[in-house]
Amino acid sequence: TRCSMASRLTMLSLLLLVLSLHSVDAMDFKGQMYCERTFQAVVILFGLVGFVAGYIQQDFRLTFLFLCAGGGLSAVVCLPDWPWWNRHPLTWLPAEDDDDEVESKPEKKKKKKPAKSK
């Protein structure tokens, strides 16, 4: 049935998400941008095709199924941290040793006493 197909797709995307969590590298900033753009493009493309197909067939359910398929496909492609989203890793500065750091205590400023007038 169609309901079981949607639940299978959801379970598949959740399985892929769990399997991708073991990745050591996190998605870099450019990867996040490309992932977001890919997600938007897939959902909009499937939405437009679904709208046209639903309009021609006069069946809103067909439009909804296209949107569900686009959402499922974009979830499988964009939710897991795939290696192609990590092509521009950041290079961080090396951490300084704690011994080298000198913590300076803020010096207390001495208040000037007003001059006594005679």
Side-chain angles (χ1 to χ4, degrees):
T1 63
R2 288 191 170 92
C3 290
S4 65
M5 181 61 120
S7 64
R8 287 180 194 163
L9 190 58
T10 304
M11 291 303 289
L12 176 66
S13 62
L14 287 175
L15 177 67
L16 289 172
L17 178 64
V18 169
L19 290 175
S20 70
L21 290 178
H22 76 281
S23 176
V24 175
D25 297 329
M27 188 183 298
D28 55 55
F29 294 120
K30 282 194 175 197
Q32 289 177 3
M33 181 188 69
Y34 294 145
C35 181
E36 179 69 24
R37 296 265 170 95
T38 303
F39 170 78
Q40 291 172 352
V42 168
V43 170
I44 289 172
L45 180 69
F46 272 76
L48 289 175
V49 170
F51 178 77
V52 170
Y55 184 77
I56 291 172
Q57 295 292 323
Q58 292 296 305
D59 186 10
F60 180 73
R61 192 172 126 264
L62 188 60
T63 302
F64 182 73
L65 289 175
F66 267 93
L67 279 172
C68 288
L73 179 66
S74 64
V76 169
V77 170
C78 296
L79 281 180
D81 193 17
W82 297 111
W84 60 77
W85 301 129
N86 299 321
R87 290 187 178 175
H88 307 282
L90 295 175
T91 53
W92 297 94
L93 293 175
E96 294 181 5
D97 293 334
D98 290 337
D99 298 337
D100 294 341
E101 292 181 11
V102 177
E103 295 183 17
S104 61
K105 295 181 182 178
E107 296 177 14
K108 294 182 181 178
K109 294 183 179 179
K110 295 180 181 178
K111 294 182 181 178
K112 291 184 180 178
K113 295 182 181 178
K116 294 182 183 178
S117 58
K118 292 185 181 178

